[in-house]
Amino acid sequence: MNTITEGMITQRKLQPHGVRNYRKLPRSHFSDPPTEVEILVNSESNPWLKDYKSYSSIMDNPLQPSKSYEQSSPQNQLQSLIHQEDTQNQVKMVNLASVLLPLYIYPSLNTTWSSIYTSITSNPSLSFDIIINPNSGPGSAAYPDSSYVTGIAQLNSYDNAKLIGYVPTNWAARDIEDVKADIDTYAGWGTYAGSDIHVDGIFFDEAVSQYNESNYEYMSTVTAYARSLNLPTIVFNPGAVSAPEYYALADTIVAFENSASAWTEQVRGWTGDQYWGNSAVMMYGFTGDEAAQKALVDTLKATDVGSLFISSQPFNTAYSEVSGLWEDFCEALAA
């Protein structure tokens, strides 16, 4: 096994639209000697595979020093570390937080979602995870109505957009069979013959944040059920800092959902740096102008948050009306 005497240990997660999170953890983060580090490898070709690799396997990562590192000269060791750091920085430069968009607006006209379409096409490097919610869930019909079919098909035509179906859980108190029925309906959308209205995953709203065996079993069961139906992308929304155990289940957890005025950078610390890249921040009621929003977006991007949403709309219309600064928000996040 190689021994790292300088530098950082790297943990990374690959998401369907490329590298979303690339986090360097200080050696002090691990025990000495290190034990095992969880690496989640998620890609289009191998979706949402959870693979636990030993620390010795991590050393085979091409971004770590090569196996001949210890045998090389001190000068070559230094050059290797410099190259490693440069390579990591280059990867980090393409790390963009994704947009987590709660699109609860009924597409009554073909133009209702036009500002959403425009931002998706204008920012091709930015990933959009779009929550679809016809009726506090998929509704009772097998397929959404024609207005939704048109809008969803349009969203599915964009390479940088991914659709996620809304399912409430009532903090693990909703009948689990009802939750599964909603998941079944969303999975069935992929069989619609007329248009491509498939969804890529499930947004579990009212998710529990506190850990106990019963809560964990509930969330684990519904997550596994969704993935068994080829709905691999899983988002939990407790709207608050979550127990770390749930990050082993979900790809993203909403660590903050509240008014922009209630935001505090302590949320990141409460969440933990090792989970922050798989966390989302959702704010409404933002009262600043374009420049103030850009400054806030830049600040949050610098923390390597996984996903972000900011709306100028107040609480009661934050998800049912487009933010007045929507296009500016997308441009700032993509910059």
Side-chain angles (χ1 to χ4, degrees):
M1 178 185 296
N2 292 323
T3 300
I4 291 185
T5 56
E6 299 182 52
M8 314 291 281
I9 300 172
T10 301
Q11 181 184 39
R12 65 179 178 179
K13 178 179 181 182
L14 303 183
Q15 301 260 23
H17 298 301
V19 177
R20 291 280 190 85
N21 179 40
Y22 201 93
R23 180 175 307 286
K24 292 188 293 183
L25 299 173
R27 183 166 186 175
S28 60
H29 176 83
F30 300 94
S31 58
D32 188 13
T35 57
E36 291 189 346
V37 179
E38 179 183 8
I39 299 179
L40 299 179
V41 182
N42 302 328
S43 66
E44 291 287 8
S45 60
N46 194 13
W48 315 104
L49 172 67
K50 292 188 174 182
D51 182 22
Y52 290 83
K53 295 180 182 290
S54 67
Y55 177 75
S56 59
S57 296
I58 293 172
M59 301 314 301
D60 291 334
N61 187 305
L63 292 179
Q64 302 294 337
S66 66
K67 289 186 176 181
S68 60
Y69 172 77
E70 288 184 323
Q71 288 73 41
S72 62
S73 68
Q75 182 177 4
N76 287 341
Q77 288 182 10
L78 178 60
Q79 291 298 321
S80 175
L81 288 170
I82 291 173
H83 175 71
Q84 172 189 341
E85 186 68 20
D86 287 346
T87 306
Q88 291 172 343
N89 288 338
Q90 290 170 11
V91 174
K92 194 177 179 98
M93 286 175 63
V94 301
N95 173 27
L96 296 177
S98 64
V99 176
L100 182 60
L101 171 63
L103 187 57
Y104 303 171
I105 305 169
Y106 182 75
S108 55
L109 302 172
N110 289 338
T111 57
T112 303
W113 291 354
S114 59
S115 62
I116 310 301
Y117 305 149
T118 298
S119 291
I120 293 172
T121 56
S122 298
N123 300 281
S125 66
L126 186 61
S127 296
F128 291 78
D129 297 331
I130 303 172
I131 308 161
I132 299 296
N133 183 16
N135 188 20
S136 295
S140 57
Y143 303 112
D145 67 25
S146 59
S147 295
Y148 263 109
V149 166
T150 300
I152 291 172
Q154 182 67 37
L155 292 172
N156 272 331
S157 71
Y158 303 121
D159 290 338
N160 57 328
K162 180 169 58 178
L163 274 57
I164 307 169
Y166 175 97
V167 174
T169 64
N170 192 25
W171 295 277
R174 187 182 179 205
D175 190 314
I176 202 165
E177 295 305 317
D178 291 338
V179 173
K180 288 182 177 180
D182 281 353
I183 297 170
D184 285 337
T185 300
Y186 283 120
W189 287 9
T191 67
Y192 187 78
S195 301
D196 179 9
I197 61 168
H198 80 278
V199 299
D200 299 284
I202 299 296
F203 178 88
F204 289 113
D205 197 19
E206 302 165 347
V208 289
S209 61
Q210 298 299 314
Y211 175 83
N212 61 49
E213 290 185 4
S214 176
N215 286 345
Y216 187 87
E217 182 180 2
Y218 183 101
M219 298 307 299
S220 177
T221 298
V222 297
T223 296
Y225 188 74
R227 287 185 170 137
S228 75
L229 296 178
N230 197 29
L231 299 172
T233 303
I234 303 298
V235 180
F236 289 175
N237 181 27
V241 173
S242 179
E245 289 85 353
Y246 293 113
Y247 281 90
L249 301 177
D251 304 294
T252 299
I253 296 181
V254 179
F256 180 88
E257 183 187 25
N258 208 329
S259 169
S261 63
W263 166 252
T264 170
E265 292 187 6
Q266 289 179 298
V267 172
R268 178 187 179 187
W270 296 333
T271 301
D273 283 351
Q274 65 267 48
Y275 306 114
W276 191 239
N278 298 100
S279 299
V281 169
M282 302 177 72
M283 300 183 189
Y284 51 79
F286 180 78
T287 58
D289 58 12
E290 176 186 347
Q293 180 181 244
K294 184 179 186 306
L296 177 59
V297 169
D298 288 346
T299 297
L300 286 163
K301 283 169 58 179
T303 70
D304 288 335
V305 67
S307 303
L308 185 59
F309 174 76
I310 300 175
S311 176
S312 62
Q313 297 291 343
F315 169 73
N316 60 330
T317 59
Y319 303 158
S320 59
E321 295 184 16
V322 178
S323 171
L325 295 172
W326 162 251
E327 293 184 6
D328 298 315
F329 163 69
C330 294
E331 290 174 4
L333 193 56

